[in-house]
Amino acid sequence: MKVKRLALKPGDVLDEDVYVGTAQPIMRRKTKLSAEHLQVLEAFFVREVMINKRPVEEVEKRKNASEKVEDVTTYSPFIDQYLSSVAQYKLCFQRWQSGQKVDIQRIRNVLIPLLEKAAEAEREVFHLHLFNKRADYLYHHAVSTGVLAAYLAKRLGYSKGDLLQVGLAGALSDCGMARVSLSFLKNKGKPSPGEREQIRQHPVYSYHMIKAIPALKEGVSLAVSQHHERENGSGYPLGISGRQIHPFGKIVAVADSYHAMTCERAYREKRSPFQVLEVMTKEEFGQYDLRVLQELSKALLTYSVGTKVRLTDQRFGEIAFIPPRNPTRPFVRLEDSGELLSLAEHPDLSIETLLT
């Protein structure tokens, strides 16, 4: 029977595969729902699913293989590997916090297979922020930044070897946070001035943690130290600009900022990819390399036509057309009325969430 997501409970059993606009289901029929599964359904804004209402105990007793409940991971292969990489990266980060050095071979084993698959999962690259959990933001952010940076490098024409180096730079750009007191993450308010200064030094800490690793190109170390520098000189820690910033650093800067703003963090609310793109291209104009930003825009917008969305006034709709001259303000066909709404003509509205 069909059940609203909010009425689901751990132990319910899916009676149909669950799709969210992807070729592969995010959860398969006969999956016994856990608390984690319910969180994923919420992250993807799934409204209702078909479930088998028989008592779980009765289902588990059935010996027929066709009726047996499958309590297995049911994400797409790419997302499954992504979540595994986040968990392994977290273990590495905890070792760095205890004073251990960066084991680059371990990091390569964790990340390279994922970075290589990113080009084959282009749509899913832009869904990674949906899996972020506030408590584990640092680990999700590191892995996602690496994936996005490698993906952008591929679109920019980098060789496989270089795009993997760019991806490693993205994933290691925040390793220096292991040398920062993270007590502020437990607070709902913003970091204190002292904590903010510590945070601003993390690119320096990251640089010193990886600069002597032979397996990493010089561009990786520079990107790690420069991922918060900006084209107009408004960044940190050195305030350099333009050509002083390594090309790898320009890519990681865009990937880092984009993912950070699409995620809910300890002291900042998340924004939709369209809202973030508008901020980066308009409000923060001049801060990012234009060529890299254009590739991000083209990639995101290519996969957005037909996407279900929720607007800031809480109405639902579907992206019908993206005007080339104003891509962050698309036409949305409203779900209830069928009206075609141009967001360019309604500056008070924007896309709050991409649903599929």
Side-chain angles (χ1 to χ4, degrees):
M1 63 181 296
K2 188 172 291 187
V3 176
K4 299 289 186 182
R5 174 177 56 78
L6 294 178
L8 294 172
K9 297 178 181 179
D12 284 335
V13 179
L14 290 178
D15 204 33
E16 288 184 354
D17 292 346
V18 178
Y19 291 85
V20 289
T22 55
Q24 298 294 325
I26 61 168
M27 294 182 193
R28 294 191 180 278
R29 178 176 175 270
K30 297 184 182 181
T31 295
K32 182 173 67 176
L33 298 178
S34 65
E36 184 180 17
H37 288 125
L38 297 182
Q39 290 175 353
V40 172
L41 291 174
E42 180 181 6
F44 276 102
F45 296 96
V46 174
R47 298 184 191 178
E48 55 190 16
V49 298
M50 294 293 293
I51 68 167
N52 185 331
K53 291 296 290 183
R54 289 175 298 174
V56 174
E57 293 79 10
E58 179 184 339
V59 176
E60 290 178 338
K61 288 178 181 179
R62 300 183 68 94
K63 301 299 182 181
N64 190 306
S66 65
E67 296 294 330
K68 187 177 180 181
V69 175
E70 299 175 11
D71 191 10
V72 297
T73 302
T74 52
Y75 309 119
S76 71
F78 178 74
I79 295 299
D80 197 21
Q81 187 167 2
Y82 164 76
L83 294 173
S84 175
S85 296
V86 170
Q88 294 178 69
Y89 182 92
K90 181 177 181 178
L91 294 176
C92 292
F93 190 90
Q94 290 170 339
R95 292 188 180 96
W96 303 335
Q97 285 179 304
S98 68
Q100 293 187 31
K101 294 182 178 180
V102 174
D103 184 341
I104 193 59
Q105 190 55 52
R106 182 186 295 272
I107 289 294
R108 287 180 59 86
N109 291 342
V110 169
L111 293 174
I112 294 298
L114 181 69
L115 299 179
E116 290 178 332
K117 287 186 177 180
E120 304 169 9
E122 293 178 322
R123 190 179 183 92
E124 291 171 297
V125 164
F126 292 100
H127 286 164
L128 297 183
H129 65 283
L130 296 174
F131 294 89
N132 174 68
K133 295 180 181 179
R134 180 182 291 192
D136 286 339
Y137 165 74
L138 281 175
Y139 322 119
H140 280 276
H141 180 60
V143 177
S144 293
T145 299
V147 169
L148 284 164
Y151 174 73
L152 289 172
K154 179 180 182 296
R155 289 186 62 94
L156 288 162
Y158 280 66
S159 67
K160 180 179 179 179
D162 278 350
L163 72 85
L164 293 178
Q165 290 280 311
V166 172
L168 290 173
L172 290 169
S173 59
D174 281 353
C175 68
M177 290 294 288
R179 302 290 185 261
V180 174
S181 172
L182 301 180
S183 59
F184 72 91
L185 292 177
K186 300 177 182 178
N187 303 324
K188 293 184 179 179
K190 294 183 178 181
S192 67
E195 290 171 330
R196 192 175 298 112
E197 184 55 35
Q198 276 196 56
I199 295 170
R200 289 173 66 89
Q201 290 302 308
H202 82 268
V204 178
Y205 303 148
S206 299
Y207 172 77
H208 285 295
M209 288 173 66
I210 69 163
K211 66 177 182 179
I213 298 177
L216 299 177
K217 290 187 174 182
E218 182 185 21
V220 174
S221 299
L222 291 174
V224 163
S225 68
Q226 297 172 353
H227 71 285
H228 280 292
E229 302 289 0
R230 297 293 179 257
E231 290 293 308
N232 60 6
S234 64
Y236 63 87
L238 299 178
I240 59 177
S241 63
R243 294 183 180 179
Q244 295 173 296
I245 305 172
H246 192 279
F248 286 10
K250 296 172 185 281
I251 298 172
V252 175
V254 169
D256 173 82
S257 293
Y258 169 81
H259 183 261
M261 284 191 277
T262 57
C263 290
E264 184 176 9
R265 292 171 281 172
Y267 52 93
R268 290 180 184 171
E269 295 298 319
K270 64 182 177 181
R271 303 180 185 183
S272 77
F274 270 85
Q275 289 173 319
V276 170
L277 194 56
E278 193 159 36
V279 168
M280 295 178 74
T281 57
K282 296 181 179 179
E283 295 178 28
E284 298 181 351
F285 179 78
Q287 294 192 27
Y288 304 98
D289 181 88
L290 185 58
R291 185 166 170 246
V292 179
L293 197 55
Q294 286 175 336
E295 286 304 323
L296 173 66
S297 300
K298 288 189 290 186
L300 177 61
L301 299 177
T302 296
Y303 307 120
S304 295
V305 173
T307 298
K308 304 290 185 181
V309 299
R310 185 174 66 206
L311 302 178
T312 49
D313 64 359
Q314 301 308 299
R315 286 185 291 177
F316 293 88
E318 178 180 290
I319 296 175
F321 175 69
I322 299 175
R325 294 186 178 181
N326 201 1
T328 62
R329 313 296 294 176
F331 286 79
V332 175
R333 189 174 300 281
L334 298 179
E335 184 178 90
D336 293 337
S337 65
E339 175 190 357
L340 193 61
L341 185 72
S342 171
L343 294 185
E345 298 176 4
H346 295 80
D348 56 318
L349 286 179
S350 62
I351 294 173
E352 183 176 79
T353 306
L354 299 180
L355 302 181
T356 57

